[in-house]
Coordinates of all heavy atoms in Angstrom, one line a residue:
Chain B
L26 N -12.2 -5.2 6.4 CA -13.5 -5.8 6.2 C -14.3 -4.9 5.3 O -15.1 -5.4 4.5 CB -14.2 -6.0 7.6 CG -13.8 -7.3 8.3 CD1 -14.5 -7.3 9.7 CD2 -14.3 -8.5 7.5
F27 N -14.2 -3.6 5.5 CA -14.9 -2.6 4.7 C -14.5 -2.9 3.2 O -15.5 -2.9 2.3 CB -14.5 -1.2 5.1 CG -15.2 -0.1 4.3 CD1 -16.4 0.4 4.7 CD2 -14.6 0.4 3.1 CE1 -17.0 1.4 3.9 CE2 -15.2 1.4 2.4 CZ -16.4 1.9 2.8
A28 N -13.3 -3.1 2.9 CA -12.8 -3.3 1.6 C -13.2 -4.8 1.1 O -13.7 -4.9 0.0 CB -11.3 -3.2 1.5
L29 N -13.1 -5.7 2.0 CA -13.3 -7.1 1.6 C -14.8 -7.4 1.2 O -15.1 -8.1 0.2 CB -12.9 -8.0 2.7 CG -12.9 -9.5 2.5 CD1 -12.1 -9.9 1.3 CD2 -12.3 -10.2 3.7
V30 N -15.7 -6.8 2.0 CA -17.1 -7.1 1.7 C -17.6 -6.4 0.4 O -18.7 -6.7 -0.1 CB -18.1 -6.7 2.8 CG1 -17.7 -7.5 4.1 CG2 -18.0 -5.2 3.1
R31 N -16.8 -5.5 -0.1 CA -17.1 -4.8 -1.4 C -16.3 -5.4 -2.6 O -16.4 -4.9 -3.7 CB -16.8 -3.3 -1.3 CG -17.8 -2.6 -0.4 CD -17.3 -1.2 0.1 NE -18.3 -0.5 0.8 CZ -18.7 -0.8 2.1 NH1 -18.0 -1.8 2.7 NH2 -19.6 -0.1 2.7
R32 N -15.6 -6.5 -2.3 CA -14.7 -7.1 -3.3 C -15.4 -8.2 -4.0 O -15.8 -9.2 -3.5 CB -13.4 -7.6 -2.6 CG -12.5 -8.0 -3.7 CD -11.1 -8.3 -3.0 NE -10.2 -8.7 -4.1 CZ -8.9 -8.9 -3.8 NH1 -8.4 -8.8 -2.6 NH2 -8.1 -9.3 -4.8
P33 N -15.7 -8.0 -5.3 CA -16.4 -9.1 -6.1 C -15.8 -10.5 -6.0 O -16.5 -11.5 -5.9 CB -16.4 -8.5 -7.5 CG -16.3 -7.1 -7.4 CD -15.4 -6.9 -6.2
A34 N -14.4 -10.5 -6.0 CA -13.8 -11.8 -6.0 C -14.1 -12.6 -4.7 O -14.2 -13.8 -4.7 CB -12.3 -11.6 -6.1
A35 N -14.2 -11.8 -3.6 CA -14.5 -12.5 -2.3 C -15.9 -13.2 -2.4 O -16.0 -14.3 -1.9 CB -14.4 -11.5 -1.2
W36 N -16.8 -12.5 -3.0 CA -18.2 -13.0 -3.0 C -18.3 -14.2 -4.1 O -19.1 -15.1 -4.0 CB -19.2 -12.0 -3.3 CG -19.3 -11.0 -2.2 CD1 -18.9 -9.8 -2.1 CD2 -19.8 -11.4 -0.9 NE1 -19.1 -9.2 -0.8 CE2 -19.7 -10.3 0.0 CE3 -20.4 -12.5 -0.3 CZ2 -20.1 -10.2 1.3 CZ3 -20.8 -12.5 1.0 CH2 -20.6 -11.4 1.8
T37 N -17.4 -14.1 -5.1 CA -17.3 -15.2 -6.1 C -16.9 -16.5 -5.4 O -17.4 -17.6 -5.6 CB -16.4 -14.8 -7.2 OG1 -16.8 -13.6 -7.8 CG2 -16.3 -15.9 -8.3
I38 N -15.9 -16.3 -4.5 CA -15.5 -17.5 -3.7 C -16.6 -18.1 -2.8 O -16.8 -19.3 -2.8 CB -14.2 -17.2 -2.9 CG1 -13.0 -17.0 -3.9 CG2 -13.9 -18.2 -1.9 CD1 -11.7 -16.5 -3.2
V39 N -17.3 -17.1 -2.1 CA -18.4 -17.6 -1.3 C -19.5 -18.3 -2.1 O -20.0 -19.3 -1.7 CB -19.0 -16.4 -0.5 CG1 -20.2 -16.8 0.3 CG2 -17.9 -15.8 0.5
A40 N -19.8 -17.7 -3.3 CA -20.8 -18.2 -4.2 C -20.4 -19.6 -4.6 O -21.2 -20.6 -4.7 CB -21.0 -17.3 -5.3
A41 N -19.1 -19.8 -4.9 CA -18.6 -21.1 -5.3 C -18.8 -22.2 -4.2 O -19.2 -23.3 -4.5 CB -17.1 -21.1 -5.8
M42 N -18.5 -21.7 -3.0 CA -18.6 -22.6 -1.9 C -20.1 -23.0 -1.7 O -20.5 -24.2 -1.5 CB -18.2 -22.0 -0.6 CG -16.7 -21.8 -0.4 SD -16.3 -21.0 1.2 CE -14.6 -20.9 1.1
I43 N -21.0 -22.1 -1.8 CA -22.5 -22.3 -1.7 C -22.9 -23.3 -2.8 O -23.6 -24.3 -2.5 CB -23.3 -21.0 -1.7 CG1 -23.0 -20.2 -0.5 CG2 -24.8 -21.3 -1.8 CD1 -23.5 -18.8 -0.5

Side-chain angles (χ1 to χ4, degrees):
Chain B
L26 279 173
F27 180 89
L29 188 52
V30 298
R31 286 163 178 76
R32 186 168 183 179
W36 293 111
T37 303
I38 288 174
V39 173
M42 287 182 182
I43 292 170

